[in-house]
C-alpha cells in the first residue's frame, strides 16, 4: 500500500493484542492497540481510522457498545469483531450493532489479513473507484456518487446505498462471467456466511429492479452456481460528465 492504513485494534488480552499488533505492523499497517472500550472510544474520536478490530468481552465498554458509538460517529469505517462467541445469536447481535464482519478466535493471521484487505479495497478513497462510471444499456451508473441515472424514468436520478453500489460495481467489473455465490460474498461482504447470503439475495433483488425485461442488461441466476451479469460492452466517451448529462435531461424535460 502507498499509504499505511490505520487500524484501531481493541483487545483486552494484552499478549494476544501485542502479537496481533506486531503481525499487522509487519504487514505494513499502522496499529493503535487499546485494552478497554473507554480508551478505544476516546482514541477513535481523536484519530481517523480505516478499519476497527474489536473484541466483544472487554472492561468498561464491551465491543457491542463500542461499535454502536463508532457507528453514530462514522457510517463508513469497517468494523470487524474478534470474538470467541460463535453462536448465531451473537453474530446477529454484532451485525445489529453495526459490525461488517467477525473473525472467531482462535483465528489465523492470514485469514485476518485477507479480511482486512477485502474491506480496505472497498472502503479506502481510491481515485479509480471514485471515477468508476459504467454505461448499462440506457442507464448510467456512477459508483463514486452512488447514482444510477435513467433518462426514461420520471425520477431521473436514483441514489443507491453503499452496499448496493459495491455489489453493482463488482458485477460490472466481472460482466459476462459466471460468478459463484461465495465469490460475490467474499469480495463484496468479506465472507461466505448463511446470514450474509440471505442479505445478498435481498440486494440482488434490488439491483434487478433497475433493469426492465427489455433492457440488454440482465442479472441471470444460475441455479446451484451463482449469477451472471449480462452487460453490453458499450463505453462512455472519455470526456463524459455526469452532472452535465443530468442537467441536459432535466432541461429537455422542462421544455417538453
Amino acid at each position: 500500500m502507498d499509504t499505511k492504513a490505520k487500524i484501531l485494534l481493541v483487545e483486552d488480552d494484552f499478549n494476544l493484542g501485542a502479537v496481533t499488533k506486531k503481525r499487522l505492523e509487519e504487514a505494513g499497517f499502522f496499529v493503535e492497540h487499546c485494552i478497554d472500550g473507554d480508551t478505544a472510544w476516546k482514541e477513535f474520536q481523536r484519530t481517523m481510522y480505516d478499519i476497527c478490530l474489536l473484541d466483544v468481552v472487554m472492561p468498561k465498554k464491551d465491543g457491542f457498545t463500542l461499535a454502536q458509538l463508532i457507528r453514530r460517529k462514522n457510517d463508513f469505517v469497517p468494523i470487524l469483531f474478534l470474538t470467541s462467541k460463535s453462536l448465531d445469536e451473537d453474530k446477529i447481535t454484532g451485525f445489529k450493532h453495526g459490525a461488517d464482519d467477525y473473525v472467531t478466535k482462535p483465528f489465523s493471521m492470514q485469514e485476518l489479513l485477507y479480511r482486512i484487505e477485502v474491506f480496505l479495497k472497498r472502503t479506502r478513497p481510491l481515485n479509480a473507484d471514485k471515477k468508476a462510471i459504467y454505461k448499462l444499456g440506457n442507464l448510467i451508473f456512477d459508483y463514486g456518487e452512488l447514482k444510477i441515472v435513467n433518462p426514461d424514468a420520471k425520477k431521473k436520478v436514483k441514489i443507491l446505498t453503499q452496499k448496493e453500489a459495491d455489489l453493482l460495481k463488482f458485477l460490472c467489473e466481472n460482466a459476462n462471467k459466471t460468478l459463484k455465490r461465495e465469490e460475490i460474498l467474499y469480495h463484496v461482504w468479506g465472507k461466505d456466511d448463511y446470514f450474509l447470503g440471505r442479505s445478498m439475495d435481498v440486494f440482488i433483488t434490488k439491483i434487478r429492479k433497475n433493469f426492465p425485461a427489455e433492457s440488454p442488461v440482465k442479472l441471470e441466476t444460475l441455479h446451484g452456481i451463482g449469477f451472471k451479469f449480462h452487460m453490453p460492452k458499450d463505453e462512455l466517451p472519455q470526456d463524459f460528465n455526469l452532472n452535465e448529462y443530468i442537467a441536459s435531461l432535466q432541461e429537455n424535460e422542462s421544455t417538453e
Side-chain angles (χ1 to χ4, degrees):
M1 289 186 166
D2 295 331
T3 304
K4 284 187 178 181
K6 293 182 179 180
I7 298 176
L8 179 62
L9 170 64
V10 193
E11 171 58 67
D12 68 331
D13 182 328
F14 183 81
N15 290 331
L16 175 59
V19 170
T20 304
K21 173 182 167 73
K22 183 174 184 292
R23 293 291 302 277
L24 291 172
E25 287 175 339
E26 288 173 348
F29 299 105
F30 171 87
V31 183
E32 183 66 37
H33 176 208
C34 300
I35 59 173
D36 65 74
D38 268 351
T39 304
W41 174 232
K42 291 172 184 175
E43 178 58 36
F44 184 82
Q45 294 177 88
R46 284 195 296 265
T47 307
M48 290 290 292
Y49 285 95
D50 295 297
I51 193 165
C52 299
L53 309 179
L54 311 182
D55 188 15
V56 173
V57 181
M58 297 186 296
K60 299 185 180 180
K61 279 186 178 65
D62 64 30
F64 293 149
T65 302
L66 179 58
Q68 280 186 307
L69 292 171
I70 290 172
R71 272 291 165 260
R72 288 173 191 167
K73 184 176 175 65
N74 188 316
D75 287 332
F76 195 59
V77 63
I79 298 174
L80 275 70
F81 279 128
L82 307 179
T83 175
S84 56
K85 293 177 174 289
S86 59
L87 297 176
D88 288 343
E89 53 264 36
D90 292 320
K91 297 174 185 177
I92 293 170
T93 300
F95 288 127
K96 285 182 177 178
H97 284 74
D100 294 284
D101 200 358
Y102 56 87
V103 180
T104 304
K105 299 176 185 176
F107 54 84
S108 75
M109 279 304 303
Q110 199 58 44
E111 178 189 5
L112 180 59
L113 287 168
Y114 173 76
R115 301 275 185 85
I116 289 171
E117 291 289 354
V118 166
F119 278 103
L120 291 179
K121 283 178 183 177
R122 286 172 28 214
T123 57
R124 294 195 82 192
L126 301 176
N127 290 333
D129 281 350
K130 286 187 174 182
K131 295 177 180 178
I133 302 178
Y134 304 89
K135 190 174 189 303
L136 308 178
N138 67 329
L139 308 184
I140 306 295
F141 165 47
D142 188 318
Y143 174 73
E145 296 293 327
L146 304 179
K147 291 177 180 177
I148 285 183
V149 181
N150 184 348
D152 299 327
K154 186 173 182 181
K155 186 178 180 181
K156 305 296 184 189
V157 180
K158 177 180 179 180
I159 305 299
L160 303 177
T161 65
Q162 184 64 54
K163 189 65 71 179
E164 286 175 309
D166 289 341
L167 174 57
L168 184 52
K169 179 174 180 287
F170 182 73
L171 294 173
C172 290
E173 290 176 339
N174 295 276
N176 306 309
K177 299 178 184 177
T178 297
L179 296 170
K180 295 182 179 179
R181 286 181 61 87
E182 56 267 29
E183 184 179 358
I184 299 173
L185 282 166
Y186 269 113
H187 282 85
V188 180
W189 274 265
K191 185 178 181 182
D192 180 6
D193 176 276
Y194 171 78
F195 296 102
L196 294 179
R198 295 290 297 274
S199 175
M200 181 180 74
D201 290 336
V202 172
F203 281 97
I204 288 287
T205 299
K206 289 181 179 180
I207 293 296
R208 271 207 181 99
K209 289 180 179 178
N210 293 290
F211 307 107
E214 64 273 13
S215 172
V217 180
K218 299 184 187 303
L219 180 48
E220 179 187 4
T221 298
L222 304 174
H223 295 288
I225 301 173
F227 302 92
K228 190 170 185 178
F229 190 58
H230 298 274
M231 173 180 149
K233 294 182 179 180
D234 191 2
E235 296 183 1
L236 292 164
Q238 289 188 345
D239 59 350
F240 178 80
N241 184 296
L242 183 71
N243 291 328
E244 290 179 1
Y245 178 65
I246 294 173
S248 68
L249 292 177
Q250 293 171 338
E251 183 179 345
N252 291 338
E253 190 174 50
S254 65
T255 58
E256 290 178 356

